[in-house]
Amino acid sequence: QMCEDYLHNKPDYGKGMMPPIIALFKQVQPWLDEHVDFVYGNELALFSHTLYTAGRCDLIAQIDGKPAILDFKTSTNEKKEEWIENYFLQVTAYAVMFEEMYGIKIEDIHVFICTETGVAQHFKKVPEQFLERTKSVFLEYYQNNSIKSIS
């Protein structure tokens, strides 16, 4: 919520937040200031006819001049990249949904993990890297739940 309010230029974006939440936000704030050029939307409701799914994305923005999806995560400790494939699949699904709905191709996907230990982790990928796996995860889900096919 703090990130959303901050990116909407609300002057009281930290009002009422507990100190641990403020500390987590402070990990991401400098990165947002340096890299976010333009915000398409925060907590934007999305849907895909291809994946037959819907969701709300944390941030869709121009990041370093490219249309991108950014998902914020919190964690007690740092995470190894190989542990977070599901995060990349999630943001890839958002990229599919956003392009279907708005006709804007997402070039980069970002996962930002703020940890209670004070370490901020940033992972940047391209959605094409996870597109086939994302589609297969949804197809497998629908096949296991008696839905015949997806595009």
Side-chain angles (χ1 to χ4, degrees):
Q1 183 64 52
M2 272 187 78
C3 288
E4 184 176 336
D5 290 348
Y6 180 73
L7 291 167
H8 283 280
N9 295 316
K10 292 184 178 178
D12 60 345
Y13 64 89
K15 186 176 182 180
M17 295 292 175
M18 298 298 290
I21 300 300
I22 294 170
L24 290 172
F25 172 74
K26 293 292 184 189
Q27 292 176 31
V28 72
Q29 183 181 13
W31 191 92
L32 293 172
D33 290 342
E34 185 175 338
H35 298 280
V36 175
D37 304 319
F38 172 81
V39 175
Y40 293 107
N42 296 91
E43 290 297 324
L44 191 62
L46 300 171
F47 177 82
S48 169
H49 292 284
T50 303
L51 301 176
Y52 293 101
T53 194
R56 287 193 177 273
C57 183
D58 288 342
L59 176 64
I60 303 169
Q62 288 271 335
I63 297 176
D64 295 327
K66 297 179 186 178
I69 303 280
L70 193 146
D71 201 42
F72 300 107
K73 303 291 187 187
T74 57
S75 177
T76 302
N77 298 301
E78 293 177 62
K79 299 207 182 264
K80 292 184 180 181
E81 187 172 324
E82 58 266 21
W83 299 347
I84 62 167
E85 181 192 36
N86 58 326
Y87 296 168
F88 298 126
L89 299 179
Q90 178 186 6
V91 290
T92 298
Y94 292 145
V96 169
M97 292 183 236
F98 186 74
E99 185 173 356
E100 278 186 39
M101 291 180 70
Y102 297 99
I104 298 171
K105 181 173 175 23
I106 296 298
E107 295 184 36
D108 294 324
I109 54 176
H110 300 259
V111 174
F112 209 105
I113 304 172
C114 298
T115 68
E116 293 175 13
T117 60
V119 175
Q121 295 181 280
H122 172 240
F123 300 92
K124 176 184 171 186
K125 303 289 182 186
V126 293
E128 290 78 17
Q129 193 175 346
F130 300 94
L131 187 58
E132 291 309 312
R133 177 75 178 118
T134 300
K135 287 180 179 179
S136 71
V137 165
F138 281 92
L139 178 60
E140 181 181 318
Y141 171 80
Y142 293 121
Q143 286 176 338
N144 290 338
N145 290 284
S146 301
I147 298 172
K148 297 202 188 276
S149 69
I150 65 172
S151 303

